Amino acid sequence: MLIVFLSFTTVPAQDFVWTSGLQRAYSDLQKLKVQSARQALIKESPANGVRIFLDDYADMLTLVTSDDDRLFANFSKREDDRLDALQALDDKSPWQRVMQAEVRLHWAFAKLKFGKELSASWDVIRAYKLLSENQRKFPNFLPTYKSLGTLHVMIGSVPENYVWVANLLGLRGSVRQGQQELQRVQNDPIFRLEAQLIDLMVRAYILKFTDADSRTLAQLISGNPDNLLLHFFGATIEQKNGRGEQALIYLTSRPRSDGYQSLPVIENILGDIYLQKSEYSTAKTHFQRFVSTYKGQNFLKDSYYKLFLCQWLAGQSDTITRPFLQTVLTVGRTTVESDKAAQKFAEAYLERGASPNQKVLMRARLASDGGFTDSALAYLRPYNEAKFMSAVEKAEYNYRMGRIYQRRNDPDAALPYLRRALAISEPDQLSFGAVSALQLGYIYQQKNDRTQARSFFQKALSFKRHEYKNSVDNKAKAGLSQL
């Protein structure tokens, strides 16, 4: 009778078991070895909630790396099936709600990639409620805080004019709270690596990425040389933060074999870096590889726009360059910001052509974005604001000069240029004003002048319509939260 009683009381604990095979599968998924992970998962019990979670993780990685619309349509019904299967498992386990929330967040991420923003939003809201409930029931269960901490950061960086929406939906959190939770979950042996990566991505895409953060990233990658996902995200983080050479190192040293999931977008990133280095022929080769192998809809407009730049900046005739911009208008979609910017440039160029000084501004922009500040400064030194005719170009010239000096760790030299770019941009609400205000906020934050920093972060938020509004607003709100 005792044996029978014990068997009944312990069965629910078997609903979520991290077997050695499942741990290996999770490790492989974190490295983007999706096929070997799937093979390992086949050997595990389909009733184990951990396997259900990892099956879903494998699907999510397959979808977001391929951007294949047909695959998304085929896989999409699996979300409800897996959520139903997880909900039927032991609700007294701290894993039950965590796994449901993880599945919802997998699908939110996938849906965003495929332009299903509304459905993705509902998945995020439901995931938040599941994780919040789990936190109340099991406050010391560390895995809860990996995704809950991420959501708290996201909620904390919502622009002021949308805070009421978050409150109405019951979503509450701050950037600092989320960061503390991500730090806490790094003590968990299962989710440590993923939490470390998320923490670095929060610093790169929402906060301000520092030299110390760059060193931490380098240590993480060097400690995991066979992890393609870390090399990929390391490259995107460093590229985003104007360290093109370091991004190139991560990509050229990435692990390569048929065992890893294909990542066509790496060709797009390599093209970007070589374009920033003014190596137009090499950049063109990488962009052509991307558009010939990629099956999705994101980054197509961006890539054809960059193919235009490779030819245009190399001095090719309008007959050769113009068709690339015409293609921009007919391919892909405008879900990601780089595609929106490509569409806007193509429409303007095809309607009005280029001004005499537009090439020099473009060369300076590309070089500065990649962190090649010597080249960027050399492009702009022969010019001053008076040589540019339109308000847009005057604002861009000043913004580029400010960013060059800022990247060269000379904030005092950057300040007058960024202030001037902001002043020129305000009447017409140009994007250069919003991004200048954001950088001014960072400079004064670094100087510990909280009043000035707060004023400029709020100014960045005040710009109503520009192609970088989502990212600028998120960063400005995060900056205000830190103050």
Side-chain angles (χ1 to χ4, degrees), residues 128 132 135 145-160 163 166-167 170-183 199 202 206-207 474 477-483:
Y128 172 84
S132 297
Q135 181 189 30
Y145 296 98
K146 174 181 70 73
S147 292
L148 185 61
T150 307
L151 291 174
H152 281 152
V153 170
M154 293 168 62
I155 294 163
S157 59
V158 168
E160 290 290 348
V163 168
N167 290 337
L171 307 178
R172 291 176 176 81
S174 70
V175 173
R176 182 169 298 179
Q177 175 189 6
Q179 281 191 288
Q180 290 171 345
E181 289 165 340
L182 287 171
Q183 289 289 326
D199 186 37
V202 163
I206 296 178
L207 306 175
N474 285 342
K477 181 67 190 301
L480 286 169
S481 177
Q482 287 181 305
L483 294 174

Side-chain angles (χ1 to χ4, degrees), residues 423-436:
I424 295 170
S425 300
E426 273 203 271
D428 296 321
Q429 292 284 287
L430 304 175
S431 62
F432 296 113
V435 291
S436 294

Side-chain angles (χ1 to χ4, degrees), residues 75-224:
F75 281 11
S76 58
K77 65 179 181 179
R78 297 179 183 181
E79 179 184 12
D80 288 339
D81 293 342
R82 288 180 179 140
L83 289 170
D84 289 344
L86 288 168
Q87 195 165 16
L89 300 180
D90 177 23
D91 66 356
K92 297 181 179 63
S93 168
W95 284 109
Q96 198 237 28
R97 292 167 190 80
V98 167
M99 294 307 190
Q100 288 183 70
E102 291 293 320
V103 167
R104 287 204 175 275
L105 290 173
H106 290 166
W107 284 97
F109 189 28
K111 288 170 183 176
L112 284 174
K113 290 279 283 184
F114 290 91
K116 311 292 183 184
E117 290 88 355
L118 184 59
S119 181
S121 299
W122 283 114
D123 271 325
V124 170
I125 292 166
R126 291 182 178 112
Y128 172 84
K129 294 185 182 302
L130 285 163
L131 292 168
S132 297
E133 183 181 357
N134 212 54
Q135 181 189 30
R136 290 192 297 272
K137 288 178 175 289
F138 308 100
N140 297 318
F141 188 61
L142 291 182
T144 303
Y145 296 98
K146 174 181 70 73
S147 292
L148 185 61
T150 307
L151 291 174
H152 281 152
V153 170
M154 293 168 62
I155 294 163
S157 59
V158 168
E160 290 290 348
N161 53 326
Y162 290 109
V163 168
W164 68 273
V165 179
N167 290 337
L168 184 66
L169 295 170
L171 307 178
R172 291 176 176 81
S174 70
V175 173
R176 182 169 298 179
Q177 175 189 6
Q179 281 191 288
Q180 290 171 345
E181 289 165 340
L182 287 171
Q183 289 289 326
R184 183 180 177 188
V185 81
Q186 289 176 39
N187 294 314
D188 180 76
I190 294 175
F191 289 123
R192 178 184 294 115
L193 182 63
E194 192 172 348
Q196 288 175 314
L197 177 58
I198 292 171
D199 186 37
L200 285 166
M201 292 183 71
V202 163
R203 295 171 188 273
Y205 287 91
I206 296 178
L207 306 175
K208 182 142 174 57
F209 201 68
T210 66
D211 290 340
D213 295 329
S214 187
R215 289 191 293 271
T216 300
L217 177 61
Q219 291 168 2
L220 195 63
I221 293 172
S222 65
N224 296 272

